[in-house]
Amino acid sequence: MYDGWKIIIGLIVFVLIVTLPFTMSIGRDYIQPKPSIDTPEIQKMEKKQCIEPKQYMREAHIKILYSWKDYATREGKRVYVASDGKTYTVSLQNTCMKCHSNKEKFCDECHNYVNVKPYCWDCHIEPKVGGLK
């Protein structure tokens, strides 16, 4: 091996780059987000349940929102039938944000934790807590 030192240095650099995300997080405390469901609309509900079960909404809410976007804009469908048979209007602003009106304490809490930047608010009007700002 004439240039063995170059290969060894290259391997060391590669290993450092691959392990960097893991080594940078050693010793840090991560606090799992707890999105607030304390809104006036939710407090009025006798049974506090979203359109689908809680765990499913945590794992797949974006899939529902993407399918709603396609249903509403491409297929013209405006009614969603949930797994329990109830029907809901296909609308982020009028269905989801009706109950989850505090975007900062509900949506942003988890999205910031996982460092995602959803583009929902590029088209939709962001709800303002406490009226107009």
Side-chain angles (χ1 to χ4, degrees):
M1 282 190 357
Y2 294 106
D3 293 326
W5 65 273
K6 291 180 184 177
I7 294 171
I8 291 172
I9 290 176
L11 287 172
I12 291 171
V13 168
F14 173 76
V15 168
L16 286 174
I17 291 172
V18 169
T19 60
L20 191 63
F22 303 104
T23 57
M24 293 297 291
S25 64
I26 293 175
R28 290 189 181 179
D29 291 332
Y30 288 102
I31 300 167
Q32 185 175 6
K34 292 182 174 77
S36 174
I37 58 168
D38 186 23
T39 64
E41 196 67 33
I42 293 175
Q43 295 309 316
K44 290 182 206 172
M45 300 169 96
E46 189 174 310
K47 182 180 180 188
K48 295 169 180 35
Q49 182 178 340
C50 199
I51 62 170
E52 294 292 350
K54 185 177 184 176
Q55 191 60 35
Y56 181 76
M57 291 306 293
R58 281 185 179 165
E59 295 169 359
H61 69 278
I62 196 67
K63 291 178 184 177
I64 290 175
L65 292 174
Y66 284 155
S67 67
W68 279 19
K69 178 186 72 166
D70 291 340
Y71 289 157
T73 58
R74 296 193 176 119
E75 300 175 25
K77 296 179 181 174
R78 293 287 180 177
V79 176
Y80 173 75
V81 180
S83 59
D84 63 359
K86 290 184 183 177
T87 59
Y88 297 91
T89 303
V90 173
S91 173
L92 171 66
Q93 287 176 268
N94 297 324
T95 301
C96 301
M97 300 313 291
K98 178 182 175 192
C99 294
H100 304 292
S101 56
N102 192 337
K103 179 184 170 289
E104 289 81 23
K105 291 184 180 178
F106 189 76
C107 303
D108 295 346
E109 184 85 14
C110 293
H111 293 156
N112 292 340
Y113 176 74
V114 295
N115 197 27
V116 296
K117 307 284 185 246
Y119 57 90
C120 308
W121 310 112
D122 293 350
C123 300
H124 293 277
I125 298 169
E126 186 176 325
K128 302 295 181 194
V129 177
L132 298 174
K133 286 188 179 179

